[in-house]
Every structure is written in structure tokens, then in C-alpha cells.
Amino acid sequence: MKVLEELTGTGQALSHTELEATFSKVDRITLYRVLKDFEEAGIVHKIIGPDGVTRFAVCRHNCPDETHTEDHVHFNCTNCHKVFCLEHTHNPDLRLPTGFKVSGIQILVQGICKHCS
Amino acid sequence: MKVLEELTGTGQALSHTELEATFSKVDRITLYRVLKDFEEAGIVHKIIGPDGVTRFAVCRHNCPDETHTEDHVHFNCTNCHKVFCLEHTHNPDLRLPTGFKVSGIQILVQGICKHCS
DNA sequence: CTTTAAATGCAACCTTGTTGCATTTAAAGT
DNA sequence: ACTTTAAATGCAACAAGGTTGCATTTAAAG
């Protein structure tokens, strides 16, 4: 699929609207279905930004297919507004109050990215 | 405002839909405006859940008015589906790759809450 | 070349959220 | 107490994001 190529190529998480613009010939519903299938297959994962916009990024080497756990940090640049995975910045251990059981952590860091600074 | 009482009382983050159900006499647009005003005034803060649903929670003692920074972790119970602030679980220090400047961190932990376990 | 299933497109619909305008409510001035 | 003014509420309409059902095309298998 060309959608997968696009996602792999850019290195950033793309929103549905952005993908829609790239593949203007393709119907937006088809795009929804393709992305949904990719997500269920563990090929891409969804990132919900601080703006509430959902974006999609390809799962890299350290994303286990079974659990589909994303053990890495997401970054949102306040300058270029891009969202991407920091694959090598793993989630830290959090000590929660007693009685809480953790099954997943989602971290979204905002700031200025490498390219913009 | 009764909306503020409700938010303070429940101790959890409430979605717009939930508040709409509670205050069925009030128009939903009024609710949108009230919540927007509260947010801008630094009285409540918005939490965007892993489901993409935005919820609202009152800012407690350790939420400085000026920066409106939420230096605490949010928890989403996979059993009762509630979302609430873990006021005393602060954001950890993250070491990002060189060139990245951090201005804010949002952490959402999923698991089983104290009450459900 | 036919049969069958998968992939695509279209129409319609729902939810969430915003904006403009009219109306009500309430506060302030004389 | 009555008028003037501003704030708060409600209504209609709209836009973006997302889902579902059904018809049609594409392509794979017999």
C-alpha cells in the first residue's frame, strides 16, 4: 500500500486530513478503513495529540505485535506542529499510589524539536 | 456555578456529554462556553483521553494559575472507565535526545484504579 | 470465462465543537 | 422605581471527524 509507504517515508505521524490531501484520488472512507486495518494488524499506531487530533505512525522495531504496546515517548513540536515518535526514549517507571495497577502509559512531550531549534 | 460544584464534587474528570446529562436543563452551547471560560481562567483543565474524548477536571492546589501547567499524571481506569488526576504523582524527568527542548509533558496512565481493584 | 470474495466509492447519518444573532437576565445609573 | 447597558443564555446553522449500509468495481480463484 502507498499509504504505508507515505507513513514510513515521512518519519512523522500524519493525521487523516494530511493523508487525505496526499491521496486526493482516494475516497476518505477508504482511508479510514485502511488505517483501521493497519492499526488492528499492529502495523501503525494511533497518536492522539494535545489538540485532540488523531495521527498515525508506523510501528518500528520495538513495537511488539502481540501487545501492540508503544513503549516510547511521542513528541509534539510547538513550532512546526509535527508529531513523531521518539523510539529510543522509553517510558519511565512511575510509582503510583497503592492500589493502582498499570497496564499502559502514554506520554506526549511538547516543545521544540531537533530540526526547529 | 453549579458546573464547578459538580466537577469539584465528583473528583473525576467529566466529559461534556456527562455534564450535559447532569444539567439537562442547560443548553449544550452554554456548557461549552462555561467550560471554555473556566479553562481560560485556569480553574479547570482539559484532559484528552486515549479514546479521544475530552474531559474536564478542576485544578487543585498544585496547579499554578500563571502557567496553568499540570505537573501531575492522569489515570484512566479500564474497568470503570473513569478519568481522574493523580495530583501527588508528578511528572518524571525525561531525558530526550539532544536538540529537543521540553516545554510540557502529558502523561496518561491506563490500568485498574484503587476502587476497582 | 465464470464465480466469488475483497476492495473501493457513494450516500446518509451521528457526534463534537464553533459562530452569529436574537433574547433574556441581571446589574448599574439617574 | 424606571431606564440604560452589559452579560448570560438559547437557538439555528454550520463544519470537521468518524461510522455504517449498500452498490459497484477490481481482482483473485475455479
Side-chain angles (χ1 to χ4, degrees):
Chain A
M1 276 295 175
K2 300 199 173 180
V3 175
L4 202 56
E5 287 177 31
E6 175 74 12
L7 282 174
T8 314
T10 65
Q12 58 170 293
L14 297 174
S15 68
H16 186 272
T17 313
E18 288 167 331
L19 286 169
E20 210 173 318
T22 309
F23 301 97
S24 51
K25 321 133 201 166
V26 185
D27 197 71
R28 64 189 194 98
I29 287 104
T30 308
L31 220 50
Y32 275 116
R33 283 192 272 236
V34 166
L35 290 169
K36 192 183 165 194
D37 289 350
F38 280 161
E39 201 198 349
E40 286 170 358
I43 298 171
V44 305
H45 64 268
K46 208 183 273 186
I47 304 169
I48 299 180
D51 46 3
V53 175
T54 62
R55 274 168 252 253
F56 299 89
V58 285
C59 296
R60 305 284 176 175
H61 40 283
N62 47 4
C63 177
D65 279 5
E66 326 87 48
T67 62
H68 199 34
T69 308
E70 305 144 33
D71 184 29
H72 62 261
V73 170
H74 293 142
F75 194 88
N76 170 222
C77 182
T78 51
N79 187 255
C80 64
H81 300 292
K82 286 180 184 173
V83 173
F84 43 86
C85 302
L86 297 182
E87 303 279 347
H88 299 289
T89 308
H90 296 279
N91 291 342
D93 278 338
L94 284 177
R95 265 191 282 170
L96 298 193
T98 48
F100 287 89
K101 285 169 198 160
V102 179
S103 66
I105 304 176
Q106 285 168 53
I107 300 187
L108 200 133
V109 183
Q110 283 171 280
I112 308 293
C113 75
K114 197 175 183 175
H115 190 260
C116 286
S117 66
Chain B
M1 276 299 174
K2 300 199 174 181
V3 176
L4 201 56
E5 288 177 31
E6 176 74 12
L7 282 173
T8 314
T10 65
Q12 58 170 295
L14 298 174
S15 69
H16 186 273
T17 312
E18 288 166 330
L19 285 169
E20 209 174 318
T22 309
F23 301 97
S24 51
K25 321 134 201 168
V26 184
D27 198 71
R28 64 188 194 97
I29 286 105
T30 307
L31 220 52
Y32 275 115
R33 283 193 273 237
V34 166
L35 290 168
K36 192 184 165 195
D37 291 348
F38 280 161
E39 201 197 351
E40 286 170 357
I43 298 171
V44 305
H45 64 268
K46 210 184 272 186
I47 304 168
I48 299 179
D51 46 4
V53 175
T54 62
R55 273 168 254 251
F56 299 89
V58 286
C59 297
R60 306 284 176 175
H61 41 283
N62 47 3
C63 178
D65 279 5
E66 325 87 49
T67 62
H68 199 35
T69 308
E70 304 145 34
D71 183 29
H72 62 261
V73 169
H74 292 142
F75 193 88
N76 171 222
C77 181
T78 52
N79 187 254
C80 63
H81 301 291
K82 287 180 184 173
V83 174
F84 43 85
C85 303
L86 297 182
E87 304 279 346
H88 299 290
T89 307
H90 296 280
N91 291 342
D93 278 337
L94 284 177
R95 265 190 285 170
L96 297 193
T98 49
F100 287 89
K101 286 168 197 158
V102 178
S103 66
I105 304 176
Q106 285 167 53
I107 302 187
L108 201 133
V109 183
Q110 282 171 280
I112 308 292
C113 76
K114 197 174 181 175
H115 189 260
C116 285
S117 64

